[in-house]
Amino acid sequence: MRFMGIDLAWGKGSKNKKANESGVVLLGSNGDIEDAGWAVGISETIDWVKSHTHEDMLLFVDAPLVVNNESGQRLCEKQVGQRYGRWKVSANSTNKHSKSLAGLQLREELEKLGWLYSDGCSGPPRSGRYLSECYPYTTIVGVEELGYVDERPVYKRKPGKMKNMKMPEFRRYRARQCDKLISRITKELSATKPPIYLASHRETRCLMKETSPMSAKEYKHREDLLDATLCAWTASLWFHKGKQRCQVLGCDDPLSEIHRATIIAPARKGQR
């Protein structure tokens, strides 16, 4: 089994505006990263998946793949806040009227190519090609080895508690947080079962060797690859450890058309 991670840009782009980059990572069963980089738009992302498809694959995507609710928030998103809120982790609301739903198109296009969506409620698939939804923040705080006991690292948007911090100062703070997170992943997840070795590919090796940039565009480029890496490793953790180390958010959602909307999330024992 090989494991793919995609940090998908939720917006599809348009004729007048290119889609944002999506980070993409292919992880081997031994923990080596076989490919890593970026794709722009759904078609380029699909092409990347096709070029690396093997018989048995598990793809985890950071983006809504199934949306059945007309309004409000999906149950799996509510449960992110309920079960990870103590670490200041919550999820954006998604419904059928949301503007950015590129994940649905990605799933539908991959299903045409023979991939199957797995909601995870019956455990990880053992063979075949499957895709599921994940959320890197739940991995960061749900994996004890990474050591985030009290709060998630602030490596993305500026939180409300820092509203008085000037942007240049916040960007320096965010860069330090990101570099500490990468350092923990490098050290701790290379020693876990299953492992991941950032040094095994030139692009993820750059995450280790280079400090996070101050430029918003360059920083987002780096962050997308980091999140795709976390997605790929989460797929490996789910395959190898299943519900011993993960929980499936949204399994009890009564809103199910063809697929049930779920998020597969690493969890500490006390969360399950």
Side-chain angles (χ1 to χ4, degrees):
M1 182 71 76
R2 286 180 170 87
F3 309 98
M4 286 181 169
I6 297 178
D7 180 34
L8 187 70
W10 289 21
K12 300 178 185 179
S14 65
K15 291 181 179 179
N16 299 321
K17 183 180 178 182
K18 287 176 62 176
N20 291 330
E21 288 182 326
S22 297
V24 292
V25 168
L26 174 64
L27 177 64
S29 58
N30 64 351
D32 286 342
I33 295 171
E34 298 179 5
D35 193 44
W38 298 263
V40 177
I42 293 295
S43 61
E44 194 171 304
T45 304
I46 293 288
D47 287 344
W48 180 83
V49 172
K50 288 166 63 176
S51 68
H52 295 291
T53 295
H54 297 269
E55 184 174 352
D56 297 319
M57 306 286 302
L58 187 55
L59 164 59
F60 271 28
V61 182
D62 177 18
L65 299 179
V66 174
V67 178
N68 296 323
N69 51 312
E70 287 291 337
S71 61
Q73 193 173 42
R74 298 181 301 164
L75 179 61
C76 58
E77 293 163 345
K78 292 179 182 177
Q79 290 182 351
V80 168
Q82 291 166 352
R83 303 185 193 185
Y84 297 84
R86 57 165 290 190
W87 288 277
K88 308 292 192 298
V89 172
S90 60
N92 293 323
S93 297
T94 309
N95 54 64
K96 288 184 176 181
H97 300 285
S98 298
K99 293 181 179 180
S100 301
L101 293 174
L104 274 64
Q105 183 182 350
L106 178 73
R107 173 181 58 77
E108 291 166 356
E109 293 296 327
L110 287 176
E111 286 175 333
K112 293 175 185 177
L113 297 173
W115 287 73
L116 299 173
Y117 170 76
S118 173
D119 63 22
C121 296
S122 60
R126 308 318 302 175
S127 61
R129 298 176 190 143
Y130 288 87
L131 72 156
S132 300
E133 182 178 337
C134 71
Y135 184 26
Y137 260 142
T138 66
T139 299
I140 292 168
V141 302
V143 172
E144 289 182 278
E145 291 90 335
L146 291 177
Y148 290 100
V149 177
D150 300 315
E151 188 174 343
R152 61 176 172 81
V154 180
Y155 78 108
K156 290 182 179 286
R157 293 187 294 265
K158 186 179 180 181
K161 68 178 183 178
M162 294 181 175
K163 63 181 180 180
N164 294 326
M165 183 182 287
K166 295 185 183 300
M167 188 54 68
E169 183 183 356
F170 172 70
R171 286 179 177 171
R172 288 192 293 271
Y173 176 84
R174 179 177 66 179
R176 292 194 298 271
Q177 292 274 298
C178 185
D179 292 343
K180 287 179 181 178
L181 171 59
I182 293 168
S183 178
R184 293 187 187 196
I185 292 170
T186 301
K187 179 181 178 182
E188 303 300 337
L189 297 192
S190 64
T192 63
K193 292 184 180 180
I196 185 169
Y197 304 113
L198 297 188
S200 60
H201 191 276
R202 65 182 182 278
E203 296 292 359
T204 49
R205 190 160 56 244
C206 287
L207 295 177
M208 301 166 50
K209 301 296 184 182
E210 299 175 0
T211 57
S212 293
M214 296 299 108
S215 161
K217 183 177 180 179
E218 292 177 358
Y219 184 88
K220 186 67 169 65
H221 184 71
R222 177 179 174 86
E223 179 207 305
D224 290 341
L225 186 63
L226 172 59
D227 281 357
T229 302
L230 286 166
C231 290
W233 181 77
T234 305
S236 179
L237 181 70
W238 173 238
F239 177 78
H240 287 98
K241 300 295 183 179
K243 293 182 180 179
Q244 294 177 19
R245 293 292 307 266
C246 302
Q247 61 182 335
V248 184
L249 308 178
C251 258
D252 48 345
D253 190 349
L255 287 175
S256 179
E257 295 177 356
I258 298 175
H259 299 308
R260 182 184 285 109
T262 62
I263 294 173
I264 298 174
R268 304 172 189 228
K269 289 182 179 179
Q271 293 176 272
R272 297 196 294 277

